[in-house]
Amino acid sequence: MKPRPSAAPRRPRRLVLSLLALTALAPTSPAQSAPGEMRVPPDPLVLVGVAPRVLPGPAGTPTSGVAAVRGRYSSHVRLLDPTTGEARREVFLPPEVQLDVPPALSADGRWLAVVLTPDPFTHAGRVGILSTYPTTPPGFQKVLSAGGLNGTLSLVFGPDGTRLAAGNRSGYAQLWEWPTERRVTTINSETGYEPSRLEFSPDGRLFAPIFRGQTRTRIFDAQTGALRTTLSGVGYGTFTPDSQGLLASRGRLISLADGKEAPTPPYLVGTSGVIGFSADGTRVLVRRTGVDVQGREWLELREVASGRTLGALTRVWDGWPEALSPDGTTLIGGDGEGGIRLLPLAPR
């Protein structure tokens, strides 16, 4: 009697392993996949954020950070390993959360900030802070309440987790020290438009609200709210890993010390923008300038010190945010079908 073959291992319900090949630096269409690529089936899913400095796991085991995803208007937030897609934990948002405003994830993966329905008695706007770990008793750790929080459309944590920026559709941004429920400052738009991005420097000392349509960027002290410098001719940008410069449009590097354009570092040559840096600042994911003969945009993973290209692929995008995993090996982005996919670019 022949032995019965063992059953094939069942795949995780939430993840699907792709079978089509992806070779670094080889053309790949957004519909193709890669060996080892993990795909989370559509809800459709949206990337909430990536936390690079997650607390150690059970028994002090190290982690590679977490990526938070949810359905576009879902109350179910899943925290996944950003390189394997393995589930870490999940959070179910309370019913008073306004699901049309994306939550914010803190850099250590410990907190979620969410916009709540207005206070039923005072009608003041509210923002709640939830732990991503089980708590006793469950519920919000803090609730910020103020008239100026009505109309909040975006939230971003500062790197140390104590600062929370709130962008408002009425054309201003507020900076809060949420553990003490203290509003640090309110920054009004010079264009009258709402902020499109809320940027903190990696060291947590600086804050730059990027308002839609602006032609200069104001940099504020994240601790006091005082204006530190104004960069004319810079409509938007991302802080450098050392917090000494701002990466602006057309691959420009602006020095925060004097506001002048600095020599282009090797990793910015031939790029139109930066998607993100690895947690240690040694790798950067950039958008290559222009398109190829087939009209495709390309992303490149580069070494910051030398500008050397470590891997590349055609842009994977369906309208949702893209990010680089904290270890600098994997692109996290939309798959064009309403899902999130994790695409390996270059191993360490």
Side-chain angles (χ1 to χ4, degrees):
M1 182 175 178
K2 293 183 179 180
R4 180 178 297 176
S6 59
R10 299 178 64 186
R11 291 179 178 175
R13 294 179 61 190
R14 295 289 184 182
L15 301 170
V16 179
L17 182 62
S18 299
L19 301 177
L20 299 177
L22 170 76
T23 303
L25 300 175
T28 307
S29 72
Q32 290 178 323
S33 307
E37 176 191 334
M38 305 303 293
R39 305 185 76 177
V40 183
D43 282 339
L45 292 176
V46 177
L47 178 65
V48 172
V50 178
R53 295 189 291 274
V54 174
L55 301 174
T61 55
T63 69
S64 55
V66 294
V69 301
R70 68 162 188 155
R72 193 190 310 182
Y73 301 114
S74 173
S75 61
H76 181 203
V77 180
R78 284 179 282 163
L79 284 84
L80 313 172
D81 185 292
T83 56
T84 67
E86 181 182 354
R88 294 300 184 196
R89 53 193 185 275
E90 59 185 3
V91 178
F92 290 91
L93 304 178
E96 59 265 46
V97 172
Q98 292 188 357
L99 298 178
D100 59 335
V101 180
L105 179 69
S106 64
D108 60 5
R110 184 180 179 186
W111 307 110
L112 279 173
V114 291
V115 175
L116 307 180
T117 54
D119 185 284
F121 301 104
T122 66
H123 306 293
R126 298 186 300 164
V127 170
I129 311 296
L130 283 168
S131 173
T132 64
Y133 293 90
T135 59
T136 304
F140 295 107
Q141 304 301 301
K142 289 286 183 180
V143 174
L144 310 178
S145 180
L149 290 174
N150 282 316
T152 297
L153 51 73
S154 59
L155 296 168
V156 174
F157 278 103
D160 69 355
T162 67
R163 290 294 186 271
L164 180 69
N168 199 283
R169 61 174 49 91
S170 295
Y172 58 85
Q174 290 191 335
L175 192 59
W176 289 78
E177 184 181 68
W178 72 263
T180 62
E181 303 179 41
R182 180 176 70 91
R183 182 177 60 83
V184 177
T185 189
T186 297
I187 301 164
N188 291 307
S189 168
E190 294 182 321
T191 65
Y193 293 117
E194 72 280 0
S196 59
R197 288 166 57 185
L198 302 167
E199 295 279 343
F200 284 94
S201 61
D203 63 9
R205 296 181 178 180
L206 302 174
F207 171 61
I210 309 297
F211 293 98
R212 188 164 61 89
Q214 70 178 24
T215 57
R216 65 177 192 164
T217 295
R218 291 168 292 165
I219 310 293
F220 297 85
D221 189 301
Q223 302 303 310
T224 66
L227 179 65
R228 292 281 295 272
T229 188
T230 299
L231 305 177
S232 298
V234 179
Y236 66 90
T238 301
F239 287 100
T240 56
D242 61 7
S243 302
Q244 300 300 308
L246 198 75
L247 303 173
S249 58
R250 304 189 303 278
R252 294 178 298 156
L253 172 60
I254 310 299
S255 170
L256 297 183
D258 56 15
K260 296 181 180 179
E261 187 170 339
T264 303
Y267 68 85
L268 281 183
V269 174
T271 71
S272 62
V274 169
I275 292 176
F277 291 87
S278 59
D280 61 9
T282 62
R283 291 182 168 195
V284 60
L285 187 63
V286 298
R287 298 181 183 91
R288 189 189 296 172
T289 300
V291 296
D292 63 16
V293 293
Q294 297 178 342
R296 298 171 302 185
E297 287 187 283
W298 279 79
L299 305 181
E300 288 189 4
L301 181 67
R302 294 183 176 182
E303 190 176 66
V304 170
S306 66
R308 180 170 62 97
T309 297
L310 304 173
L313 75 166
T314 50
R315 192 174 187 193
V316 181
W317 183 73
D318 67 344
W320 312 124
E322 296 164 319
L324 181 65
S325 64
D327 64 0
T329 66
T330 305
L331 169 69
I332 308 171
D335 67 355
E337 300 171 357
I340 296 290
R341 72 178 184 177
L342 312 176
L343 252 174
L345 278 165
R348 286 283 184 174

